[in-house]
Amino acid sequence: MIARCAYRLTLPLLTALLLSACRDSPREVLSEASEAAAGGDLAEVRDRFSVVTVRRLEHHWRLKGVREADGWDELAAKLTFDGRPLEVSDETIFGDYAQVMAKAGVARRDYYLRKEDGRWRIELGAGRKFRRAAAEAAPESAAGSGASGPAP
């Protein structure tokens, strides 16, 4: 009887845990960061960036004599359009890197994310790594399909 009750409690808990893990998509991370930026929640914005990016930004701001709050405020402005969240659209994932497209007014912007400790995080400067991961994911046959054809 106790085992059956434990099973009935464990199954919904595991289901909820699995579903919450699935919600951490690159699109959702960028959308959450943009909504936090529009709402002025700089701590939440900071939490959506990779540890490497946070360290680099805060180090740069210290060297330039910029207060961290001012730096994050300026960065948050790039995650919004006229104070409103971005319209997040397409995402493309290759391994631990992702590209997410977002609309800011009429302009489309690309944002790059990296999987860090199993969670997607925005990473400044990850575009090159994303393109490298995309190239590595391309089938080998596409890489070798140059002008040479079959032997006559």
Side-chain angles (χ1 to χ4, degrees), residues 140-152:
E140 291 294 318
S141 61
S145 62
S148 64

Side-chain angles (χ1 to χ4, degrees), residues 17-122:
L17 184 62
L18 287 173
L19 288 176
S20 69
C22 294
R23 286 194 306 245
D24 187 27
S25 75
R27 285 185 60 201
E28 289 171 345
V29 169
L30 181 60
S31 183
E32 290 166 357
S34 184
E35 289 172 20
D41 188 350
L42 299 181
E44 189 69 23
V45 170
R46 183 184 188 275
D47 187 49
R48 298 295 180 242
F49 282 82
S50 70
V51 170
V52 170
T53 296
V54 169
R55 286 181 185 157
R56 285 179 185 161
L57 288 170
E58 292 179 350
H59 177 72
H60 173 76
W61 295 328
R62 273 192 303 278
L63 290 176
K64 295 290 183 179
V66 175
R67 290 179 342 120
E68 281 184 21
D70 293 338
W72 283 111
D73 197 40
E74 184 179 325
L75 186 63
K78 295 178 182 180
L79 292 170
T80 62
F81 178 74
D82 285 343
R84 295 186 320 268
L86 301 171
E87 294 176 40
V88 178
S89 57
D90 310 326
E91 80 177 20
T92 306
I93 300 171
F94 290 107
D96 287 341
Y97 294 92
Q99 177 189 50
V100 178
M101 300 304 293
K103 195 168 152 187
V106 295
R108 285 178 48 92
R109 299 178 186 167
D110 54 349
Y111 294 85
Y112 294 93
L113 293 85
R114 180 176 64 91
K115 199 166 243 192
E116 178 180 83
D117 295 329
R119 299 182 71 193
W120 290 104
R121 294 288 177 245
I122 301 167

Side-chain angles (χ1 to χ4, degrees), residues 124-137:
L124 300 181
R128 190 174 75 207
K129 292 177 183 176
F130 169 81
R131 288 186 290 279
R132 186 179 318 138
E136 290 172 359

